[in-house]
Amino acid sequence: MKKLYARAGIAFFALLLPYATPWGFAWGPEGHHVTVILAEKYLTPDTAARVKELLGSESLLDASVWADNYRHDHPETAPWHYIDIPLHGTTIDLRRDCPKGDCVLAKTEAFLAVLKDIQADRTAQAQALKFVIHFVGDLHQPLHDEDNNDKGGNTRLVQLGSHVPPPGLTDNLHWLWDTGLIERINSNDQALAEIIRLKITDADLTAWAQGGVADWILEAHRLAQTAAYQGLGNANPAVITPEYERQARMRYAAEQASSMASTISLDWIGFEMYPSIPAARHFSRSPSMA
């Protein structure tokens, strides 16, 4: 039974990816919320019970942003949310990109190992689940997977329409991909989740059945190259044109569709445990929301 519970716990992670990334809505608080709102709709009773057992009274919405709140008091965990792959690089080199093992790739895999460990105690697995829920979103944010000497886009200023940032803050490329683009579509978590849910079809399910954490990171890294930085020009702040915004949404969706990975197919997930997921192999993406 303990082995079944360990598998059921990480099955939640398997359901996060398809809804975390196809349209780039997985990174600010709103996006992390949308991820779990959608994923919760697809949890089997066994998995939902295991997640409830681990989280107790904490909601999935709160759990999805817990790692960001934890970081405030534990600044040593800040590097766990990203990996510095040179923008023009094409591969992951852990000695270069994650020399101390403090990056989103190493930490996601480490916390997945805790969830798979039938000897791990409940407290450790609960914390691991919250880290994984959050990191799955973070590692699909293109600006979390690149290094262009601008602190993940935080020093690359942008102007998005007439948007005025709050006092003391700036609109930058990282903010744009964290929050700015999502707010241009629908800033209501539940409404946005429903927009996405309605575009998911049974025919979508195959494309996300391959790959692993490193594959997802490289896919997002390619989006940094071909979408996030493409067409910005040299101005600082860079004016975000309607064409940039349209292309960002379209290319993000198209590239995630073609090679997005899904933990649904990983060996450590027992499909036989989750009969309510049709074929457990067919999650894919909807057409572009451009």
Side-chain angles (χ1 to χ4, degrees):
M1 179 63 70
K2 193 170 184 180
K3 182 176 181 181
L4 184 147
Y5 269 178
R7 281 187 164 186
I10 56 178
F12 176 75
F13 170 69
L15 288 168
L16 290 178
L17 178 64
Y19 309 106
T21 60
W23 302 283
F25 298 157
W27 315 301
E30 304 89 350
H32 285 291
H33 287 171
V34 170
T35 297
V36 295
I37 290 168
L38 281 165
E40 195 168 19
K41 297 179 185 296
Y42 292 88
L43 294 181
T44 66
D46 283 345
T47 300
R50 178 53 175 160
V51 170
K52 176 65 175 177
E53 179 184 330
L54 288 177
L55 296 183
S57 61
E58 187 172 11
S59 71
L60 281 172
L61 291 179
D62 288 341
S64 72
V65 296
W66 173 87
D68 273 343
N69 296 328
Y70 184 83
R71 179 179 57 185
H72 295 158
D73 294 326
H74 300 271
E76 72 278 4
T77 69
W80 299 5
H81 295 247
Y82 60 86
I83 182 170
D84 283 333
I85 306 170
L87 180 62
H88 299 294
T90 57
T91 61
I92 296 171
D93 181 340
L94 291 178
R95 290 175 297 180
R96 176 195 66 198
D97 308 331
C98 188
K100 298 180 180 180
D102 287 341
C103 70
V104 71
L105 171 57
K107 291 303 180 180
T108 300
E109 292 184 336
F111 287 119
L112 282 172
V114 174
L115 287 172
K116 292 186 284 183
D117 183 1
I118 63 174
Q119 302 302 322
D121 65 32
R122 177 186 176 279
T123 299
Q125 288 200 324
Q127 186 178 79
L129 179 61
K130 291 188 285 187
F131 273 122
V132 167
I133 289 170
H134 187 85
F135 289 166
V136 160
D138 278 351
L139 64 84
H140 283 92
Q141 211 276 43
L143 281 302
H144 280 242
D145 302 307
E146 59 79 28
D147 178 16
N148 196 38
N149 299 314
D150 58 6
K151 300 185 182 298
N154 280 289
T155 62
R156 187 71 161 93
L157 303 183
V158 301
Q159 179 61 56
L160 180 62
S162 59
H163 184 266
V164 177
L169 299 179
T170 60
D171 284 351
N172 56 61
L173 190 61
H174 196 106
W175 164 83
L176 180 71
W177 285 81
D178 253 2
T179 303
L181 291 175
I182 188 174
E183 289 182 344
R184 301 277 281 192
I185 300 171
N186 197 313
S187 60
N188 181 279
D189 300 345
Q190 295 287 343
L192 183 55
E194 185 64 8
I195 289 171
I196 298 172
R197 187 190 68 80
L198 292 174
K199 289 180 173 289
I200 297 171
T201 70
D202 290 341
D204 284 331
L205 293 172
T206 302
W208 295 343
Q210 304 296 325
V213 176
D215 299 296
W216 309 333
I217 287 172
L218 284 174
E219 178 65 22
H221 178 71
R222 286 189 287 271
L223 288 171
Q225 296 171 323
T226 62
Y229 284 90
Q230 187 73 25
L232 278 183
N234 297 319
N236 195 24
V239 176
I240 301 304
T241 65
E243 179 62 13
Y244 175 97
E245 188 174 351
R246 187 185 72 82
Q247 288 289 334
R249 297 183 194 177
M250 180 180 67
R251 295 175 69 181
Y252 196 96
E255 293 198 24
Q256 293 295 50
S258 66
S259 60
M260 185 185 300
S262 172
T263 56
I264 290 174
S265 66
L266 293 182
D267 291 341
W268 39 263
I269 296 174
F271 291 120
E272 69 280 359
M273 293 173 53
Y274 315 114
S276 70
I277 303 176
R281 284 183 293 276
H282 301 297
F283 287 103
S284 182
R285 67 146 176 109
S286 75
S288 166
M289 293 182 65

